[in-house]
Amino acid sequence: MPWSTFAQVSVANGSDVVTITSLETIVGVVPDSVLIIGNNPDVEIENVFIDGSGNRFLRLRSAWNNPTVTNQPATSFPTAG
């Protein structure tokens, strides 16, 4: 599986949902992938989903314990699980 890059994502401190605010697809992102947002420590993706309005989200395995980030670049890559 390839790496996925996002020009802009946002997530609030204490939330487990990352919103993709740029136009990239989430097709290549799979559960148990690693996500790195900006210069923050890596986190694990639990699943991905699209709401009824077409907004794309990444649900984290645990809440984001770092400061709130808005429109920051991010990269995800699959792991062996």
Side-chain angles (χ1 to χ4, degrees), residues 46-69:
E46 183 173 286
N47 63 28
V48 298
F49 62 98
I50 300 173
D51 70 9
S53 298
N55 298 307
R56 291 148 299 113
F57 303 94
L58 308 171
R59 184 173 308 280
L60 303 178
R61 183 117 2 238
S62 58
W64 180 254
N65 291 323
N66 301 297
T68 296
V69 293

Side-chain angles (χ1 to χ4, degrees), residues 14-57:
S15 175
D16 67 348
V17 176
V18 176
T19 303
I20 301 168
T21 53
S22 52
L23 300 175
E24 298 83 10
T25 182
I26 59 173
V27 171
V29 182
V30 296
D32 300 322
S33 291
V34 171
L35 179 67
I36 301 171
I37 301 174
N39 293 324
N40 292 289
D42 59 306
V43 292
E44 186 177 4
I45 297 171
E46 183 173 286
N47 63 28
V48 298
F49 62 98
I50 300 173
D51 70 9
S53 298
N55 298 307
R56 291 148 299 113
F57 303 94

